[in-house]
Each structure stands twice: as C-alpha cells, then as structure tokens.
Amino acid sequence: MLMLGTAAIGALSFAGGAQAADNKEVQMLHWWTSGGEAAALNVVKQALAKQGYGWKDVPVAGGGGGAAMTTLKAMVAAGNPPTASQILGYYALDYADAGKLADITPLAKKNDWAKVIPTALQKFTTVNGKWGAVPINIHSVNWIWINKAAMEKIGGTEPKNFAEFVALLDKAKKAGVVPLALGGQPWQEATMFDSIVASTGGVEFYKKAFIDLDESALKSDTMKKSFDNLAKLRDYVDPNYTGRDWNLATAMVIKGDALVQVMGDWAKGEFAAAHKEAGKDFLCYRFPGTDGSVLYNTDMFAFFQVSADRQAAQTALAETAMSPEVQIGFNTIKGSAPARMDISDASFDVCGKKAIADIKAANAKGTFLGSLAQNYAQPPAVATAYYDVVTKFVHGQIKSSDEAVTQLVAAINSAK
C-alpha cells in the first residue's frame, strides 16, 4: 500500500491549511494516455485522494506532447490554466519567463529539493532562483528493448557497438523476424537519431553538436555518418511503420512480432502493463555504443498562477509528486528512474536499477546530457527544426546524408 510521508502531509500546513473555501480538486493536463502511463499516473491520483483531493483529468493524446502543449497554450491564454501540467524542458522555461508560473520556492526550500535533484534538471524547474515546476521522474532515450524469446530464437547477444547492432538486426531479418519496431512519427525518429549520433560520434560529439550547436560538428563527416547509420536502420523496419504510435511499436516487441525497439524507458511501462518481467521476458540495453552516457528527459509538473482557492491543491500536488513514496510508486510503473537522487533502488527491477546507477554515474562524470528530441538540449523551435530534417530523411524526402547535413545546419540556424 502506498503511504504518504510526513512531507506530503506538511504541504497542507505550508499552504496555510486547506480552508473550507478551498477548491479540493486538482486539474491536471497531460499526455499520459497509454496503459503504462495511465497506471503510473494513478499513483499520484491515489495519493492525493488520501488527502481528500479529487482529480480532473485533462488528457491530450500524442506521445511527444505537441498536441498537449497546444491545448495548454490555449488554456493559459484564456486565463484558465490547469492546476498543473505535464511539461518538458524549455516549454517550462518559456512560461516561467512569461511570468505565468506560480512561485513554489518556499515549498522547495522547506523540503531541500535543491539537494536531491540533479543540477541539470534544476535548470528547468527554476528561473531566477524561483521554483515553478517539479520533476517526477528521469527518463533517458538511449535504450533498446528486446523480446528475449526472439533473441534466443535467433541466437543473438547484446550488441556493444553500432556494427554489432546491425549484425543483430541482420540475424533477425534472416530468421524471418521483423528486426526493428519503429513508429514513423517525427518525434520517435528524432528520439532514435539522438542515440545514433551519440553512438556514432561519442558523447563529446553529441554535446558539441546538439548542446553547443557547434556548426563545424553539425556539418561534419561524423554527422553525415550518423545519417548514414540512420539509413541503415531504416532498412530493418516493416513497411507499415509510417504514423505508428510508439506504444504500438512497443507492443510489437512485447508480442514477439519484432525483435527490438529503440525508445526511451517509458517503453518499459508498457512491458509492465502487459505483465512482462525484465530479464525474463524482455531485455534492456543501452543503445549500442552509448553505455556510460545518459541522454535524459524528465516529465515535470509545471504550476501556473491560479486563484487563491486553488493554491492548496496545487501545493498538495507539488509535495506529493516529490515525496519519496510517490516517486518510487510512480517510477516503478512508468519505467523511469526517480528524479530524487536519495531514493533506494530496492523496489526497482534490473532495468530500473541500471537506470538509477547510470544516472548517478553520468551525473558525476558529465555525461548526463539533455535529449534534443525531447526538448532538453535546445528550445522547441530548434527541436522542431531537427524533427523536420530527420523525418524528411527517414521518409526519403531528403535523399542523401550530404543533403541532410546541409538542411540540418540551415534549419537550426533559422530556428535559433
């Protein structure tokens, strides 16, 4: 049973106590509509219910969150923001800069959140020293997810580099197994390309190209080789991949209809929802050639300026999301790692334990880097430009890696 600690209970006293006139409802905008995502969100809902708070769901389907951000923009513009919204990186900073977020700094200081959340994430929760959002998890995109039975059928072993990965996909193809489950949507293709770039050029190259936006790196032969490697993987997908949702691609691996999916660790939530066990039914490895690095994104709850009668619910949600009990309960289901660095990995499966260990190690040695595809390396305009070039290349509208690199440089320079 999930039990809230004294920290969450203390939220009410911090907010001055729930008053009779307080609105005891949390209105939450999010895009967690797959089975695993919905199950994880229930942990938060149930924890709030025990404190007497109701839940008004505002789900907006769409794995990358683009549609949800459009809905959020309309609600904020209309002066009717939700209690909180799921949000990614630079979107939160935009709302903070516009003065739309609430100031939950006293709550953050009371609970010493700055001491337990990686500094890299605090860049997105805090503007000018003021907290306006909290991270409920840490995801990373440089993972591959493999059906274990299919792996054994083809006699495969863990690929340690890109060449071994291609050799593994070849084995699957020759055995009549769909090698690579891909959802042909721009954000999914760009998410896979993040890993390919880090694998092809190494983490320092990834940083130079996507964090520093160094033009010499963006137009380098290494970036061209990254696009060439993307083209190689395209040869291993089934013909029906265009437009496929990410969780349907995950389902192909869960059912053994495909060998592997390249996807962030939110995919593990789908395996869990299908009652599949890590190490027994499926295998998780870092994208070949990227072990030791973590290309992260984090799901944050951004808190908007709301009327006084809604602030107690907002405070309760913020403190509940950051409680160790909810961080464990939520992330063991969601497939992610806790955003807090002070949480034991005892409740997590083998993939979760690796995620937690990898994050701590990468955070210590400087290889904990934001995913460009997931809006943690650059603002949305640059990420959108990146999506556009990558998806055009995947779908054949850009014919060569030379042309892809030229268009990538032009698109990013235009979006800056």
Side-chain angles (χ1 to χ4, degrees), residues 61-395:
M69 290 300 94
T70 300
T71 300
L72 177 62
K73 185 177 181 181
M75 292 177 72
V76 173
N80 182 34
T83 309
S85 174
Q86 180 188 0
I87 206 163
L88 298 177
Y90 283 90
Y91 286 102
L93 296 183
D94 286 346
Y95 283 113
D97 287 338
K100 299 296 184 183
L101 296 189
D103 182 4
I104 60 170
T105 306
L107 192 63
K109 288 184 175 178
K110 182 173 80 108
N111 291 288
D112 285 332
W113 290 342
K115 294 182 179 177
V116 297
I117 296 173
T119 303
L121 301 193
Q122 293 182 44
K123 171 183 174 181
F124 300 101
T125 61
T126 311
V127 171
N128 296 326
K130 293 182 179 179
W131 287 70
V134 298
I136 194 167
N137 63 11
I138 298 175
H139 276 301
S140 46
V141 304
N142 54 319
W143 288 103
I144 61 174
W145 306 91
I146 292 179
N147 182 289
K148 188 178 180 186
M151 187 75 150
E152 291 171 351
K153 175 183 174 182
I154 66 171
T157 56
E158 179 185 355
K160 297 291 190 181
N161 53 50
F162 191 81
E164 291 182 10
F165 189 39
V166 171
L168 178 67
L169 298 175
D170 260 336
K171 270 180 174 277
K173 192 173 185 177
K174 288 173 183 173
V177 177
V178 173
L180 181 60
L182 176 64
Q185 297 173 344
W187 75 269
Q188 294 187 63
E189 294 152 353
T191 296
M192 185 168 73
F193 193 56
D194 277 1
S195 294
I196 293 172
V197 171
S199 173
T200 304
V203 68
E204 286 304 316
F205 176 77
Y206 178 93
K207 180 177 182 297
K208 195 173 180 182
F210 289 167
I211 306 294
D212 301 339
L213 293 185
D214 181 282
E215 188 165 320
S216 65
L218 289 169
K219 65 183 182 184
S220 67
D221 288 343
T222 302
M223 188 60 75
K224 291 177 185 175
K225 186 178 179 183
S226 298
F227 276 104
D228 288 337
N229 285 341
L230 176 59
K232 288 179 182 176
L233 296 193
R234 184 179 56 195
D235 290 341
Y236 295 101
V237 304
D238 67 292
N240 302 315
Y241 76 99
T242 301
R244 178 185 289 140
D245 288 333
W246 71 270
N247 53 316
L248 299 182
T250 307
M252 292 172 66
V253 178
I254 291 173
K255 296 174 183 174
D257 294 337
L259 175 68
V260 58
Q261 181 185 23
V262 180
M263 184 49 65
D265 46 13
W266 48 90
K268 189 162 73 76
E270 297 304 294
F271 284 95
H275 306 292
K276 300 299 183 184
E277 185 178 334
K280 177 184 175 185
D281 301 308
F282 67 95
L283 304 168
C284 57
Y285 302 127
R286 286 292 174 189
F287 188 93
T290 70
D291 209 6
S293 303
V294 173
L295 307 182
Y296 74 85
N297 68 306
T298 173
D299 290 303
M300 300 190 301
F301 292 172
F303 299 96
F304 291 84
Q305 292 187 16
V306 294
S307 56
D309 66 322
R310 299 174 67 192
Q311 291 174 6
Q314 198 169 57
T315 301
L317 174 58
E319 201 156 21
T320 297
M322 285 301 296
S323 73
E325 294 85 356
V326 166
Q327 292 250 331
I328 291 171
F330 179 91
N331 288 301
T332 52
I333 296 173
K334 183 71 162 57
S336 39
R340 300 179 63 119
M341 294 290 95
D342 60 342
I343 288 178
S344 166
D345 68 359
S347 300
F348 290 80
D349 63 20
V350 62
C351 301
K353 290 181 192 302
K354 177 170 175 55
I356 291 170
D358 285 355
I359 289 166
K360 288 181 178 177
N363 191 42
K365 67 180 183 180
T367 56
F368 184 67
L369 300 175
S371 159
L372 178 54
Q374 296 292 320
N375 290 287
Y376 278 91
Q378 298 294 334
V382 174
T384 299
Y386 175 60
Y387 284 13
D388 187 52
V389 173
V390 171
T391 200
K392 284 180 177 176
F393 182 79
V394 170
H395 295 272

